[in-house]
């Protein structure tokens, strides 16, 4: 049979599937004559076919800006750990110590820890010989954990390679640069490099997922402005407002009262009149933005069109409201507002033509150098309510098995107090949530909380000066576990997370995703 009449393995597939596979082959450099007959790379075909035929999956990064105090978020409550925690925190200010489990709440108190009552016990499947609890403002997350819908990943932080305290103190081990700096460590968590990096590991994941989406424009979406975590080599992050698509010109669609003027304005802004690289790039960005806004305006369901909302005004929607733990006053939760936008995007996934997505949301308030009790309780209450709200919405939408939400932050904080708060640390505990998460457990190794000598030195192999945690879990392993769940291969993970190779193959991923 001549080559012109030979049948390709693609011919047996439905037309729409063939089209998606050919798009993927093009991205792999396999399009053309090598995409048919014996020249077809069968391994690549298998990978592409699996991606096209798979169900929807998304990652949602919740970034806690300022550096979350992990010591007062996930607490070790076994007698030795609790005694050392309480001694270190109360050395300068007893108000920084949370109430023990079982301490009754006193809603009449003006002290937030007394008002909230004791810490909330959680019961991990593998407790590692410890007992654990969460901050009393985290009622929703405690319930999610105990129902098996959320898990804790212990002592995560940026690392170059495995590092012991002895190596760190002797200066013989490799350590990340510019530790304890907000901007640099936010960038390091998101991109694995200090401030100035141009691509993040969420964006690198999106690069690998683009060809599997019918509309690649919505593969990576931020509802918290520009974030390097979403930037890829090919993937461009789309920025969505918490209320929906951002329209160029007038939000009403009419500039100076005229839709024609609005259309002309967008046309001028998206046209390049010369060969200036800057002008052409600006015009391209505007053109993409206008196209995306038009697509989303028609695709996004209304704020009250599903379980994500009970009204069209976010400021008054009861589902988005939470109680201030210090006062009891109800207020709209900015994190829940962002997660509502994510839920609406997910609801529009079929219309938008996407099967793999990554999202970024953020919340501030975690830089608790002072007034720690009230500020941290408020930040954690917002986090807990937001995650609880989002989980309920996703379950009602029937997509919770396909969405994994996780937290990240600049760094943890010290165990020692500065008097009214706590200063910058390093490692911290984080949360993972979703229907695919093997919840109700702790992943990684819980650190030992040692005794302080009184001058900032702790007798624990896991605590550095002032009680800063030396991470035992690199960000790369945390990221690789989620990348594997999205469908990335070992080779792809090692390419986008090059320092992952500094850990043995058996230690490159965790088991928190099914």
């Amino acid at each position: 049979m001549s080559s012109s009449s030979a049948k390709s393995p693609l011919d047996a597939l439905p037309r729409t599937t063939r089209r998606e596979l050919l798009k993927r082959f093009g991205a792999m450099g396999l399009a053309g004559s090598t995409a048919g007959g014996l020249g077809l790379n069968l391994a690549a075909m298998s990978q592409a076919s699996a991606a096209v035929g798979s169900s929807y999956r998304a990652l949602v990064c919740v970034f806690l800006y300022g550096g979350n105090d992990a010591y007062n978020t996930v607490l070790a409550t076994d007698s030795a750990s609790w005694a050392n925690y309480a001694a270190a925190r109360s050395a300068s200010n007893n108000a920084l110590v949370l109430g023990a489990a079982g301490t009754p709440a006193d809603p009449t108190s003006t002290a937030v820890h007394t008002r909230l009552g004791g810490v909330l016990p959680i019961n991990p499947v593998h407790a590692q010989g410890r007992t654990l609890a969460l901050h009393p403002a985290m009622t929703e997350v405690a319930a999610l954990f105990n129902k098996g819908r959320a898990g804790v990943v212990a002592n995560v932080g940026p690392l170059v390679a495995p590092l012991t305290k002895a190596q760190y103190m002797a200066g013989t081990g490799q350590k990340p640069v510019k530790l304890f700096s907000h901007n640099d460590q936010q960038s390091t968590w998101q991109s694995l490099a200090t401030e100035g990096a141009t691509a993040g590991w969420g964006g690198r994941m999106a690069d690998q997922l683009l060809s599997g989406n019918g509309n690649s424009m919505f593969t990576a979406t931020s509802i918290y402005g520009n974030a390097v975590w979403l930037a890829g080599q090919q993937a461009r992050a789309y920025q969505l407002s918490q209320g929906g698509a951002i329209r160029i010109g007038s939000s009403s669609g009419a500039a100076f009262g005229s839709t024609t003027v609005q259309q002309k304005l967008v046309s001028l802004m998206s046209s390049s009149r010369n060969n200036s690289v800057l002008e052409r790039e600006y015009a391209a960005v505007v053109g993409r933005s206008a196209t995306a806004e038009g697509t989303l305006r028609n695709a996004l369901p209304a704020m009250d069109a599903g379980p994500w909302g009970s009204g069209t005004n976010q400021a008054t929607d009861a589902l988005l409201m939470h109680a201030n733990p210090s006062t009891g006053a109800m207020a709209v939760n900015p994190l829940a507002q962002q997660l509502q936008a994510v839920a609406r995007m997910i609801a529009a996934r079929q219309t938008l033509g996407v099967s793999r997505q990554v999202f970024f949301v953020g919340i501030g308030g975690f830089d608790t150098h002072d007034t720690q009790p009230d500020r941290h309780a408020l930040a954690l209450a917002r986090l807990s309510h937001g995650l609880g709200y989002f989980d309920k919405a996703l379950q009602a939408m029937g997509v919770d098995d396909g969405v994994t939400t996780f937290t990240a932050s600049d760094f943890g904080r010290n165990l020692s107090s500065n008097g009214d708060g706590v200063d910058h640390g390093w490692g911290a505990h984080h949360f993972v949530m979703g229907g695919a998460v093997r919840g109700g457990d702790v992943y990684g190794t819980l650190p030992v909380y040692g005794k302080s000598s009184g001058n900032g030195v702790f007798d624990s192999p896991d605590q550095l000066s002032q009680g800063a945690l030396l991470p035992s879990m690199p960000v790369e392993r945390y990221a690789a576990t989620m990348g594997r769940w999205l469908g990335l291969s070992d080779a792809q993970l090692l390419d986008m997370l090059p320092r992952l190779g500094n850990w043995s193959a058996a230690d490159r991923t965790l088991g928190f995703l099914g």
Side-chain angles (χ1 to χ4, degrees):
M1 183 178 292
S2 68
S3 59
S4 60
S5 61
K7 292 289 186 180
S8 162
L10 299 177
D11 291 339
L13 298 173
R15 181 176 300 174
T16 54
T17 305
R18 292 203 308 271
R19 185 183 305 119
E20 290 301 316
L21 285 173
L22 287 169
K23 283 171 56 181
R24 196 167 184 85
F25 292 147
M28 296 175 181
L30 297 172
S33 60
T34 59
L38 296 177
L40 181 65
N41 183 318
L42 294 179
M45 178 180 177
S46 175
Q47 176 193 5
S49 179
V52 172
S54 62
S55 58
Y56 177 83
R57 287 190 177 182
L59 285 182
V60 182
C61 175
V62 180
F63 203 90
L64 314 179
Y65 280 94
N68 180 42
D69 176 19
Y71 281 114
N72 264 23
T73 302
V74 180
L75 297 99
T77 57
D78 52 280
S79 58
S81 299
W82 185 267
N84 291 337
Y85 154 79
R89 281 285 161 102
S90 64
S92 57
N93 188 344
N94 191 58
L96 300 181
V97 180
L98 289 166
T103 303
D106 179 3
T108 65
S109 176
T110 57
V112 66
H113 289 172
T114 304
R115 179 186 179 90
L116 291 172
V119 296
L120 306 172
I122 56 175
N123 303 297
V125 175
H126 301 96
Q128 303 179 25
R130 315 284 282 279
T131 57
L132 298 176
L134 301 185
H135 189 287
M138 304 199 75
T139 53
E140 296 88 351
V141 172
L144 287 168
F145 186 96
N146 289 328
K147 290 177 182 176
R149 298 195 60 77
V152 170
V153 183
N155 200 12
V156 190
L159 287 169
V160 176
L163 181 67
T164 66
K165 182 176 179 177
Q167 290 173 324
Y168 178 89
M169 299 301 292
T172 58
Q174 291 180 287
K175 64 179 182 180
V177 298
K178 298 186 178 180
L179 289 170
F180 316 113
S181 158
H182 281 295
N183 292 348
D184 290 297
Q185 293 309 299
Q186 287 168 10
S187 178
T188 299
W189 253 95
Q190 295 183 32
S191 70
L192 310 177
T194 54
E195 188 175 23
T198 58
W201 54 269
R204 295 186 193 112
M205 287 184 183
D207 285 341
Q208 304 294 336
L209 305 172
L210 286 175
S211 58
N213 285 337
N215 191 339
S216 62
M217 186 178 297
F218 303 111
T219 303
T221 302
S222 172
I223 300 89
Y224 196 77
N226 189 36
V228 71
W229 184 76
L230 280 179
Q233 299 299 327
Q234 291 83 39
R236 296 174 182 266
Y238 178 74
Q239 293 186 29
L240 183 71
S241 78
Q242 62 189 30
I246 302 171
R247 174 173 278 171
I248 294 173
S250 168
S251 60
S252 66
F256 302 104
S258 170
T259 56
T260 301
V261 172
Q262 172 84 356
Q263 292 166 0
K264 293 293 185 182
L265 175 65
V266 173
S267 178
L268 285 171
M269 293 174 68
S270 57
S271 301
S272 176
R273 291 172 293 174
N274 57 46
N275 290 323
S276 164
V277 173
L278 179 61
E279 184 174 335
R280 283 189 283 112
E281 181 62 19
Y282 175 80
V285 169
V286 172
R288 284 194 303 271
S289 298
T291 300
E293 187 277 326
T295 301
L296 276 179
R297 183 163 20 97
N298 295 320
L300 278 183
M303 290 184 183
D304 60 348
W308 50 82
S310 61
T312 57
N313 185 349
Q314 284 189 323
T316 59
D317 190 335
L319 291 178
L320 307 182
M321 307 285 278
H322 78 108
N324 184 312
S326 297
T327 66
M330 298 300 293
V332 66
N333 183 354
L335 178 60
Q337 289 179 300
Q338 295 174 66
L339 291 171
Q340 183 187 69
V342 175
R344 293 169 65 201
M345 280 281 282
I346 292 172
R349 64 195 180 280
Q350 292 180 332
T351 303
L352 296 175
V354 289
S355 63
R356 292 288 185 274
Q357 289 183 285
V358 290
F359 294 94
F360 186 91
V361 300
I363 180 174
F366 290 90
D367 194 16
T368 52
H369 290 286
D370 50 32
T371 60
Q372 155 94 358
D374 291 282
R375 293 176 64 193
H376 197 227
L378 177 59
L380 289 181
R382 287 173 169 171
L383 173 63
S384 183
H385 169 264
L387 293 180
Y389 154 80
F390 194 48
D391 184 68
K392 287 179 181 177
L394 295 175
Q395 285 193 70
M397 293 164 64
V399 296
D400 57 298
D401 285 349
V403 182
T404 295
T405 304
F406 68 97
T407 63
S409 189
D410 318 16
F411 34 63
R413 303 190 87 81
N414 294 339
L415 181 55
S416 296
S417 166
N418 63 19
D420 194 29
V422 282
D423 297 328
H424 300 176
W426 188 355
H429 311 310
H430 286 283
F431 297 105
V432 287
M433 180 189 81
V437 170
R438 295 188 176 107
D441 212 349
V442 176
Y443 295 88
T445 303
L446 288 166
V448 173
Y449 294 172
K451 293 181 179 179
S452 171
S453 64
N455 61 356
V457 176
F458 286 77
D459 63 351
S460 163
D462 303 312
Q463 291 174 298
L464 304 175
S465 176
Q466 305 302 326
L469 286 175
L470 173 63
S472 57
M473 179 69 60
V475 175
E476 281 84 352
R477 290 182 66 190
Y478 193 40
T481 305
M482 292 179 278
R484 177 75 61 78
W485 177 74
L486 279 179
L488 303 185
S489 67
D490 289 345
Q492 288 171 320
L493 292 174
L494 286 168
D495 180 60
M496 70 176 225
L497 305 167
R499 291 195 301 222
L500 185 63
N502 292 336
W503 279 264
S504 68
D507 291 331
R508 289 177 187 166
T509 59
L510 298 164
F512 61 77
L513 281 168

